[in-house]
Amino acid sequence: HIHLCEDLTGSVVRNNVVRGSNQRCYVAHGTSGVLWEGNIAFDAFGHCFFLEDGSEINHVYRNNLGLDMKFPTRLLTALSGREETDFEPAVFWPSNPQNDFYGNVAAGSDFYGWWFELHTTIRGPSLYQDPEMNPQKMNLG
């Protein structure tokens, strides 16, 4: 979980494995510009490759693999104070289309391989980064 770091252009998350996570796998939250490459996630609960608030842009996801994302038995909703959607897990869950995706594979989820859940505003604590941003009106890539 890369948390509220804003622009991390040049940072790389490469060749890692997440297995048996109780909620989510690779999370960018209020952070942009990271290369996510060659990562694997297996046997986890909730969303996997996850862009959390909608402010996260200019990431590159290349050759990542997510397998067997499961319906969670409980969520962090009570802690976040907002409605979470992990009860319908997606291997890839971008909340902003202004990111690049190449050669990624979603192989098994209780619900979705890919789910672009785009809101009209940033939905969480990274709203301060760009209060006028509307992910629904942004281009893919």
Side-chain angles (χ1 to χ4, degrees):
H1 191 126
I2 301 175
H3 190 75
L4 299 176
C5 295
E6 299 184 12
D7 185 7
L8 282 183
T9 299
S11 296
V12 177
V13 177
R14 180 181 286 139
N15 298 336
N16 297 285
V17 175
V18 171
R19 181 176 180 261
S21 174
N22 286 317
Q23 187 166 357
R24 304 180 180 154
C25 302
Y26 299 93
V27 179
H29 184 195
T31 302
S32 296
V34 176
L35 169 63
W36 306 81
E37 183 173 48
N39 298 294
I40 298 172
F42 173 72
D43 188 31
F45 293 92
H47 301 310
C48 185
F49 293 90
F50 184 70
L51 297 165
E52 190 158 344
D53 284 352
S55 65
E56 301 83 12
I57 59 173
N58 302 325
H59 290 277
V60 175
Y61 289 84
R62 183 179 295 128
N63 300 327
N64 298 291
L65 171 64
L67 304 128
D68 197 23
M69 297 307 115
K70 299 177 197 167
F71 177 90
T73 56
R74 54 187 254 240
L75 290 178
L76 298 175
T77 300
L79 297 175
S80 71
R82 63 184 179 204
E83 189 68 28
E84 301 293 353
T85 58
D86 294 83
F87 280 129
E88 296 179 3
V91 176
F92 293 90
W93 192 89
S95 57
N96 190 312
Q98 194 175 319
N99 294 281
D100 294 315
F101 303 93
Y102 306 98
N104 299 290
V105 176
S109 173
D110 281 353
F111 281 83
Y112 306 107
W114 289 84
W115 178 4
F116 282 79
E117 185 175 353
L118 308 178
H119 294 269
T120 57
T121 186
I122 296 170
R123 70 181 195 115
S126 63
L127 177 62
Y128 76 90
Q129 293 175 6
D130 188 348
E132 303 301 315
M133 183 182 281
N134 181 346
Q136 284 187 358
K137 294 186 176 185
M138 299 180 80
N139 294 324
L140 182 62

